[in-house]
Amino acid sequence: RVLREKFPRASAIKVVDISGGCGAMYEIHIESEDFREKRTVQQHQMVNQALSEEIKSMHGLRIFTSTPK
C-alpha cells in the first residue's frame, strides 16, 4: 500500500516475504517511470525513503528497480 502511494506511476510492484514466514525480510521489485534517468543507488534511496518507517521493523530488504521498456 505504501509503495503504491509513493510510486503512483509504477507499472509493477511486487513484494515477497523471503524470511520464511516471520515477516522480517522482504524482496521488492518496482518498475516505474519515476526511476528513469536516475542511477541505481538513487532509485534504491527513493524506495528506502518511501519505506522509512516500515524498514525500522525489518531485518533485511532486497530492492530491485527498473523502468518500463
Side-chain angles (χ1 to χ4, degrees):
R1 178 186 56 80
V2 173
L3 291 172
R4 284 269 173 226
E5 290 173 8
K6 299 289 184 175
F7 298 99
R9 298 172 53 192
S11 52
I13 295 178
K14 180 180 172 186
V15 178
V16 181
D17 182 345
I18 57 171
S19 66
C22 72
M25 288 193 68
Y26 293 92
E27 186 172 282
I28 296 174
H29 298 261
I30 303 176
E31 180 179 273
S32 177
E33 280 294 333
D34 295 322
F35 300 138
R36 195 166 302 283
E37 304 295 322
K38 291 185 173 49
R39 297 187 339 249
T40 303
V41 70
Q42 292 171 312
Q43 297 171 12
H44 290 199
Q45 287 171 339
M46 291 169 68
V47 176
N48 280 318
Q49 185 176 16
L51 295 174
S52 60
E53 285 303 310
E54 291 76 9
I55 286 174
K56 292 177 184 177
S57 63
M58 292 181 195
H59 175 71
L61 179 64
R62 290 185 193 157
I63 300 171
F64 299 92
T65 54
S66 62
T67 55
K69 303 287 186 260

